[in-house]
């Protein structure tokens, strides 16, 4: 990841900063300008809850060019406590211990070994 | 050459005059495919992206010696990162010796070919064109595996999917796992899709693979992104497929077999699977399919075959089920029982599909349409679905993020 892009996204990545529609209360991550529920165009930045549940997951063995040397990587589809779903890496857990329904917590971790300065939301087992 | 009236009756579908959306009488024109051209799918180090496009295009045009396209539409996903080449519309029209006609590229990730055909269809239907060359093309094998993986991930969010490490396969893998657990589907049943695809490709001249595989082979192949294995996945390859779309007036002047496009529909979904209420719902496929059925008047049970977007085993299952062609959670079991085989109740992937014919991503939509043409023109050789009169194609960009559905019927 280059510095310019991280400059734009860093806060979103570190804090899992999404958005909320003041008209209907719908919450979003990734953030949106236009509310998909009510069509409101005045959404505001809003942090996401850190606790969630693993809906599904995969361990990928073939990584993209930007993640060379990172595979195998566990990628989870996580439903947060507010119902918002995100795709993110699941770390600090052997792949064989991953289970659907498992409770997980968001942490900010270096995006890759090579991009140590760029922190990004990842998930670890809760508790 | 003898002129010929395109039939409104012999395909058994259009007994009434053409109707517009929601039954309004249409003043718009009928659209036919008059010929197709294919490059054999595979690794083509000897051919650049222009060579691929030109070979398929010349193949399609050579069947129509008196036709000159008045528009060129290219379907392609990632020629920019794939081979450093953009501006494909003009590159193709110029390479074919045309000047001054509209020529441009249409992009909708792996659904680019279907979207390009849709654009060409609209142009003929609206009376803006009488003869349109549509060429889908992708040159993937100049890239190494990591770079292809990055290129394919462009189908989804760069900033919130690819940049956090997810790949395109991993998106499909989480839906695959969720599907197995939600419906209690055994993984052996999922393997029926690639087994069938490879069987159909054995006698498919333009297919990449000519090798049968067993369910055991599928389930012991290397894990790409679990539960997706190598043999659940369509291959990285090069290819190009062309169609010539003509108006009714032009159709009377050609001697090649005619296939009518009864409906061409495109729908876009909420962008990423994790933003959708149910990640397993293919809402774009559902919407495009529903509109195509309404517009064509073809009842789904009348389809003689289907070319679905079988990029992965899971996309076959979810595509069939979201169109209501199989009950939820049942498509793999029905596949294992042979319902979708060439001699089954609803043959799918009749030349091997994306899985075994190959998936040169931006070209797959035009391969599907070319294959549908071959079936409906009675030119499918050993892969012929007997008595095929009406068929459908379904081509997705992303995980059902943009989907094009076409319904076609033989018109001879
Ligand atoms: Zn709202």
């Amino acid at each position: 990841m280059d510095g310019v892009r991280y400059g734009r996204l860093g806060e979103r990545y570190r804090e899992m900063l999404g958005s909320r529609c003041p008209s209907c209360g719908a919450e979003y991550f990734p953030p949106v300008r236009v509310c998909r529920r009510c069509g409101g165009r005045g959404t505001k930045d809003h942090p996401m809850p850190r606790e969630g549940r693993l809906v599904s997951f995969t361990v990928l063995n073939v990584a993209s060019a930007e993640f060379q040397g990172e595979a195998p990587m566990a990628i989870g589809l996580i439903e947060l406590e507010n119902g918002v779903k995100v795709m993110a890496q699941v770390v600090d857990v052997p792949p064989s211990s991953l289970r659907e329904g498992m409770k997980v917590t968001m942490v900010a971790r270096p995006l890759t070994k090579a991009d140590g300065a760029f922190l990004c939301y990842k998930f670890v087992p809760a508790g | 050459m003898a002129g010929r009236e395109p039939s409104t009756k012999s395909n058994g579908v259009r007994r009434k005059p053409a109707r517009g959306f929601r039954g309004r009488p249409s003043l718009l024109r009928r659209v036919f495919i008059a010929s197709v051209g294919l490059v054999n799918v595979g690794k083509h180090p000897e051919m650049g992206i222009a060579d691929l496009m030109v070979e398929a295009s010349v193949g399609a045009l050579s069947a129509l010696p008196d036709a000159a396209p008045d528009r060129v539409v290219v379907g392609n996903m990632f020629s920019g990162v794939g081979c450093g080449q953009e501006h494909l519309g003009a590159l193709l029209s110029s390479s074919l010796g045309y000047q001054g006609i509209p020529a441009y590229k249409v992009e909708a990730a792996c659904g680019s070919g279907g979207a390009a055909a849709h654009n060409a269809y609209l142009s003929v239907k609206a009376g803006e064109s009488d003869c349109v060359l549509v060429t889908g093309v992708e040159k993937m094998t100049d890239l190494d595996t990591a770079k292809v993986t990055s290129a394919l991930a462009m189908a989804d969010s760069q900033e919130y999917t690819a940049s956090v490490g997810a790949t395109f396969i991993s998106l499909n893998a989480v839906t695959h796992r969720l599907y197995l657990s939600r419906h209690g589907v055994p993984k052996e049943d999922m393997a029926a899709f690639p087994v069938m695809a490879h069987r159909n490709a054995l006698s498919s001249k333009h297919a990449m693979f000519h090798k049968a595989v067993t369910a055991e082979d599928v389930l012991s192949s290397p894990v790409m992104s679990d539960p997706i294995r190598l043999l659940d996945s369509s291959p990285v390859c090069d290819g190009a497929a062309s169609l010539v779309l003509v108006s009714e007036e032009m159709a009377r002047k050609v001697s090649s077999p005619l296939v009518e496009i009864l409906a061409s529909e495109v729908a876009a979904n909420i962008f990423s699977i994790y933003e959708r209420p149910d990640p397993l719902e293919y809402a774009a496929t559902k919407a495009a399919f529903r509109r195509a059925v309404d517009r064509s008047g073809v009842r789904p049970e009348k389809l003689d075959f289907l070319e679905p977007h079988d990029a992965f085993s899971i996309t076959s299952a979810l595509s069939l089920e979201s169109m209501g062609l199989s009950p939820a959670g049942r498509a793999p079991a029905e596949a294992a029982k042979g319902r979708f085989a060439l001699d089954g109740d609803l043959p799918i992937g009749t030349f091997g599909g994306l899985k075994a014919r190959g998936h040169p991503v931006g070209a797959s939509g035009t391969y599907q349409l070319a294959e549908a043409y071959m079936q409906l023109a009675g030119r499918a050789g050993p892969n012929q679905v007997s008595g095929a009169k009406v068929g459908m194609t379904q081509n997705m960009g992303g995980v059902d993020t943009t989907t094009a559905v076409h319904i076609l019927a033989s018109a001879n």
Side-chain angles (χ1 to χ4, degrees):
Chain A
M1 168 147 311
D2 65 70
V4 174
R5 189 187 283 184
Y6 191 75
R8 181 171 73 241
L9 293 168
E11 190 180 7
R12 305 246 175 240
Y13 281 9
R14 287 188 302 270
E15 307 292 331
M16 217 164 50
L17 182 63
S19 55
R20 179 177 183 278
C21 172
S23 309
C24 76
E27 297 185 9
Y28 297 95
F29 190 86
V32 299
R33 166 78 182 270
V34 178
C35 177
R36 282 195 289 274
R37 190 202 280 169
C38 76
R41 293 170 186 167
T43 59
K44 299 277 186 280
D45 280 356
H46 188 75
M48 293 293 111
R50 293 178 170 242
E51 307 299 321
R53 182 181 68 86
L54 202 53
V55 174
S56 184
F57 60 90
T58 182
V59 179
L60 65 83
N61 294 322
V62 183
S64 60
E66 299 76 10
F67 287 82
Q68 285 310 291
E70 300 284 323
M73 289 164 67
I75 302 286
L77 173 64
I78 293 133
E79 182 170 7
L80 304 172
E81 278 182 339
N82 59 353
V84 169
K85 294 188 288 297
V86 297
M87 291 285 283
Q89 292 183 45
V90 186
V91 297
D92 292 357
V93 52
S96 58
S97 301
L98 293 168
R99 295 286 179 269
E100 289 162 74
M102 183 172 168
K103 290 203 157 59
V104 290
T105 304
M106 192 277 255
V107 290
R109 290 285 174 83
L111 190 55
T112 61
K113 294 180 202 87
D115 278 341
F118 299 156
L119 300 182
C120 182
Y121 52 93
K122 297 189 182 185
F123 286 81
V124 298
Chain B
M1 89 187 60
R4 197 154 30 79
E5 187 80 27
S7 163
T8 51
K9 288 189 177 170
S10 67
N11 60 34
V13 176
R14 299 287 288 276
R15 296 199 176 78
K16 293 178 193 157
R19 292 256 148 195
F21 193 31
R22 300 210 175 92
R24 282 194 292 274
S26 174
L27 300 173
L28 304 174
R29 306 194 303 173
R30 298 170 66 187
V31 183
F32 299 84
I33 302 179
S35 73
V36 303
L38 300 172
V39 172
N40 292 340
V41 179
K43 288 184 179 158
H44 290 292
E46 77 289 3
M47 295 174 94
I49 194 158
D51 303 324
L52 290 164
M53 290 195 291
V54 168
E55 172 150 332
S57 303
V58 166
L61 292 165
S62 59
L64 306 169
D66 301 326
D70 53 17
R71 181 177 302 262
V72 170
V73 184
V74 174
N76 171 261
M77 175 175 173
F78 60 65
S79 63
V81 299
C83 31
Q85 181 69 62
E86 286 294 358
H87 215 164
L88 299 188
L91 179 60
L92 178 58
S93 67
S94 172
S95 301
L96 295 171
Y98 307 137
Q99 277 179 22
I101 61 169
Y104 46 84
K105 158 173 163 174
V106 172
E107 188 276 317
C110 327
S112 298
H118 176 69
N119 179 280
Y121 165 90
L122 293 180
S123 172
V124 175
K125 191 161 186 68
E128 292 289 329
S129 301
D130 282 305
C131 181
V132 183
L133 172 68
V134 187
T135 297
V137 65
E138 205 72 59
K139 175 85 192 153
M140 303 172 78
T141 68
D142 278 1
L143 300 178
D144 63 26
T145 303
K147 287 191 177 132
V148 164
T149 303
S150 295
L152 292 170
M154 297 193 301
D156 208 86
S157 168
Q158 180 58 234
E159 296 187 342
Y160 294 95
T161 305
S163 288
V164 305
T167 61
F168 188 62
I169 299 185
S170 73
L171 294 174
N172 287 283
V174 298
T175 64
H176 189 142
R177 182 185 304 279
L178 191 57
Y179 178 85
L180 294 183
S181 63
R182 182 180 294 180
H183 297 294
V185 172
K187 54 185 199 272
E188 291 74 19
D189 283 356
M190 291 298 276
F193 289 109
V195 169
M196 183 173 58
H198 277 258
R199 191 190 307 130
N200 291 353
L202 283 175
S203 48
S204 165
K205 192 175 125 305
H206 62 274
M208 179 166 183
F209 297 122
H210 298 105
K211 182 177 183 295
V213 303
T214 64
E216 226 162 72
D217 294 334
V218 175
L219 296 172
S220 60
S221 63
V223 176
M224 310 285 285
S225 184
D226 79 317
I228 293 182
R229 291 173 178 271
L230 181 65
L231 287 175
D232 285 306
S233 318
S234 48
V236 170
C237 51
D238 306 323
S242 297
L243 322 163
V244 179
L245 267 54
V246 298
S247 63
E248 192 165 356
E249 191 185 343
M250 182 72 75
R252 289 198 190 95
K253 298 175 188 160
V254 305
S255 58
S256 58
L258 296 171
V259 166
E260 182 168 4
I261 301 179
L262 300 181
S264 170
E265 293 291 335
V266 175
N269 201 344
I270 296 172
F271 200 66
S272 296
I273 58 162
Y274 48 86
E275 298 178 292
R276 302 173 189 168
D278 181 359
L280 294 188
E281 180 165 342
Y282 280 6
T285 292
K286 207 172 261 188
F289 171 77
R290 185 44 54 200
R291 286 205 295 268
V293 165
D294 286 351
R295 278 197 102 138
S296 64
V298 173
R299 294 202 309 277
E301 61 273 21
K302 294 285 179 198
L303 293 170
D304 295 312
F305 66 92
L306 165 67
E307 296 298 333
H309 193 89
D310 61 329
F312 300 99
S313 303
I314 182 61
T315 64
S316 299
L318 289 174
S319 295
L320 286 160
E321 293 174 12
S322 62
M323 294 187 279
L325 299 172
S326 218
R330 296 292 302 156
E334 292 188 335
K337 288 195 184 106
R339 184 178 164 220
F340 306 118
L342 267 186
D343 59 354
D345 162 47
L346 178 63
I348 68 169
T350 62
F351 289 86
L354 279 60
K355 171 67 199 81
R357 168 246 291 138
H359 183 25
V361 286
S364 282
T366 53
Y367 274 98
Q368 291 177 324
L369 286 161
E371 290 162 349
Y373 175 90
M374 290 158 72
Q375 288 291 355
L376 295 167
R379 294 186 168 190
N383 292 59
Q384 185 68 48
V385 172
S386 72
K389 291 278 182 283
V390 188
M392 185 170 77
T393 64
Q394 176 242 1
N395 176 212
M396 303 193 317
V399 187
D400 192 50
T401 302
T402 301
T403 294
V405 170
H406 288 83
I407 296 181
L408 308 99
S410 51
N412 289 95

